[in-house]
Amino acid sequence: MEQRTWPVQRDGAHFSALPLVNISGSKDDDDDDDPNRRQQRRRSRHHHHHQQQQPPPQVLRTRNSHCAKLPTIHSASSHRIRFSSRWFSSFSSTQSMAEGHDFSQLPFDVLTKIAASFTLPNLRSASLVCRSWRDALRPLRESMLFLRWGKRFKHGHAGVRPNLQKALDSFLKGAARGSTLAMVDAGLLYWEMGHKDKGIALYQRAAALGDPAAQCNLGISYLQAEPADPKEAVKWLYEASVAGHIRAQYQLALCLHQGRGVECNLLEAAKWYLRAAEGGYVRAMYNTSLCYSFGEGLARNHRQARKWMKRAADRGHSKAQLEHGLGLFSEGEMLKALVYLELAIRAGETSAEHVKNVVLQQLSASSRDRAMSLADNWRALPSR
């Protein structure tokens, strides 16, 4: 697949309190030598304690009607208070009702819209809040099962033979239960099968529910549609970029760089290139290096340019491997230069052949063998 690079005119945890200890620092009654003072102090303490335990009747009624009953502490020195997530959720619900915020009464349609893009662990956690949430989120939990089977049929995982039609059926069943994750996968399959209008319709549903992947795919779809709609594309790419979707950030930077669907803005383009590069997107790393090299949107900085070019090269970007190899050659690092030039050639960058031959003439036979061995055993670093 051709690389797009520089543009020319994308539970249940338990909470424990610390053991209760005597931190008052006061003397014990039995340590006082004067019996009269000791007896007087006990009476005063008993009277004060009795007043604290007997609040006004209206306060008692308020407490009894609103407060959850806490567990009894049997020993101050050897016991800890432990809360399970279920008890903690119940207690939090009681507190929220006392404050007039009973989230268990949230309308089901609002709840399902909020949770439409949740993954299975998040759905399970939300289902533990209360019974009404558990019942309302059941369709979304079911959609996770269809999503899992859809991926198995699509990629042939877990002993299942690849079957795109069964994969699509599974994704559509998950989408019908409200999962934006299933909508995105179904939309992608429709797009690959040539049914682009159906794919866009599913992306639109998921994007409206706030799914960043759907927003990104919808924006790219508008760029590739016939006729294209660059303004609408930029709108959705921006939404996904703000949400942290790195491919959308790279695509938005390309639009800003090319002036496609939006006025050309090199400063903004470089900002989004850099953000996507920091998120691990290899093409953005390459373009960020070029921004630093040419001073477009970023101040010229040879050190930063070299850093991002090497990062892109180490993650398999063929043009970055060529550029980094040429940079090493100019610095006299012949053995390293030969490794990156060889990798670039193997990736299809035939323009590296001439420089490679020059380097070979300057290296000993053992150094050439060492460089070829490094190239043979090279593995790309993970990228996104």
Side-chain angles (χ1 to χ4, degrees):
M1 183 175 184
E2 185 179 355
Q3 293 175 338
R4 295 192 54 188
T5 54
W6 197 246
V8 181
Q9 300 212 14
R10 191 167 101 62
D11 88 354
H14 290 77
F15 299 89
S16 300
L18 292 174
L20 301 177
V21 295
N22 182 10
I23 59 173
S24 64
S26 61
K27 246 184 184 181
D28 191 61
D29 291 345
D30 295 333
D31 292 337
D32 200 326
D33 294 334
D34 190 339
N36 292 329
R37 281 207 309 268
R38 185 165 66 243
Q39 186 174 8
Q40 185 179 1
R41 187 162 55 248
R42 286 177 177 173
R43 287 176 181 175
S44 174
R45 189 180 303 165
H46 176 74
H47 177 70
H48 178 69
H49 182 65
H50 180 71
Q51 285 183 330
Q52 285 185 327
Q53 286 190 335
Q54 296 297 329
Q58 62 273 22
V59 177
L60 280 174
R61 285 195 296 271
T62 305
R63 287 183 181 175
N64 292 336
S65 60
H66 293 296
C67 294
K69 187 175 180 180
L70 293 172
T72 303
I73 303 175
H74 298 289
S75 171
S77 60
S78 62
H79 289 276
R80 299 185 179 199
I81 305 173
R82 298 185 67 83
F83 302 98
S84 70
S85 59
R86 188 168 299 177
W87 187 91
F88 188 78
S89 300
S90 175
F91 180 57
S92 300
S93 178
T94 306
Q95 282 187 317
S96 64
M97 286 190 291
E99 297 171 0
H101 302 292
D102 185 5
F103 295 107
S104 66
Q105 300 302 316
L106 196 67
F108 285 0
D109 59 335
V110 175
L111 176 62
T112 53
K113 286 181 181 179
I114 293 173
S117 59
F118 281 12
T119 58
L120 183 57
N122 291 336
L123 283 172
R124 285 173 173 168
S125 298
S127 299
L128 292 174
V129 172
C130 59
R131 182 177 297 177
S132 61
W133 280 32
R134 181 195 65 193
D135 295 340
L137 295 174
R138 181 179 290 117
L140 285 175
R141 294 197 305 273
E142 292 174 354
S143 70
M144 294 296 102
L145 180 61
F146 289 110
L147 182 66
R148 183 186 303 171
W149 276 101
K151 290 183 180 297
R152 287 179 179 177
F153 282 123
K154 182 178 180 180
H155 302 291
H157 291 164
V160 177
R161 290 185 179 180
N163 188 318
L164 292 184
Q165 188 56 53
K166 288 185 177 180
L168 179 60
D169 291 342
S170 296
F171 290 145
L172 290 175
K173 288 177 181 177
R177 285 161 173 78
S179 171
T180 63
L181 307 181
M183 294 176 197
V184 171
D185 278 327
L188 183 59
L189 266 185
Y190 269 135
W191 186 272
E192 292 173 351
M193 291 176 174
H195 304 296
K196 296 185 177 182
D197 53 340
K198 293 182 179 180
I200 290 177
L202 283 164
Y203 290 154
Q204 288 171 334
R205 283 177 57 193
L209 291 169
D211 189 290
Q215 293 167 345
C216 176
N217 287 9
L218 182 59
I220 295 174
S221 297
Y222 281 132
L223 289 175
Q224 297 178 356
E226 296 180 2
D229 191 346
K231 289 186 177 180
E232 193 70 10
V234 169
K235 166 191 165 183
W236 288 109
L237 289 173
Y238 180 79
E239 292 287 335
S241 297
V242 171
H245 197 282
I246 61 170
R247 186 184 180 199
Q249 292 169 351
Y250 171 74
Q251 293 293 336
L252 177 62
L254 282 177
C255 290
L256 288 162
H257 200 161
Q258 296 169 334
R260 189 176 185 191
V262 66
E263 186 177 351
C264 180
N265 189 326
L266 294 181
L267 287 174
E268 282 294 303
K271 181 187 81 172
W272 288 111
Y273 280 142
L274 180 57
R275 193 172 297 185
E278 291 172 342
Y281 202 70
V282 64
R283 296 180 186 178
M285 293 178 189
Y286 177 74
N287 284 12
T288 297
S289 175
L290 295 179
C291 285
Y292 277 120
S293 293
F294 300 124
E296 293 193 359
L298 294 170
R300 283 193 176 185
N301 189 318
H302 174 72
R303 183 179 178 182
Q304 288 294 322
R306 193 174 188 274
K307 179 186 81 171
W308 286 111
M309 190 65 73
K310 184 179 186 305
R311 288 188 178 183
D314 289 341
R315 285 158 179 80
H317 195 287
S318 62
K319 285 185 170 57
Q321 289 168 342
L322 171 60
E323 294 288 344
H324 188 56
L326 293 175
L328 291 168
F329 172 74
S330 66
E331 295 170 1
E333 297 281 349
M334 296 303 173
L335 192 147
K336 292 181 180 179
L338 180 57
V339 173
Y340 282 98
L341 291 171
E342 176 65 20
L343 292 174
I345 292 170
R346 293 180 184 185
E349 300 294 333
T350 56
S351 58
E353 287 279 4
H354 174 70
V355 183
K356 175 191 170 183
N357 292 332
V358 173
V359 174
L360 286 172
Q361 294 175 5
Q362 301 183 31
L363 290 176
S364 63
S366 61
S367 295
R368 291 196 296 267
D369 292 341
R370 172 65 176 160
M372 292 299 105
S373 175
L374 289 172
D376 291 337
N377 294 297
W378 178 85
R379 296 292 180 273
L381 294 176
S383 62
R384 298 177 68 180

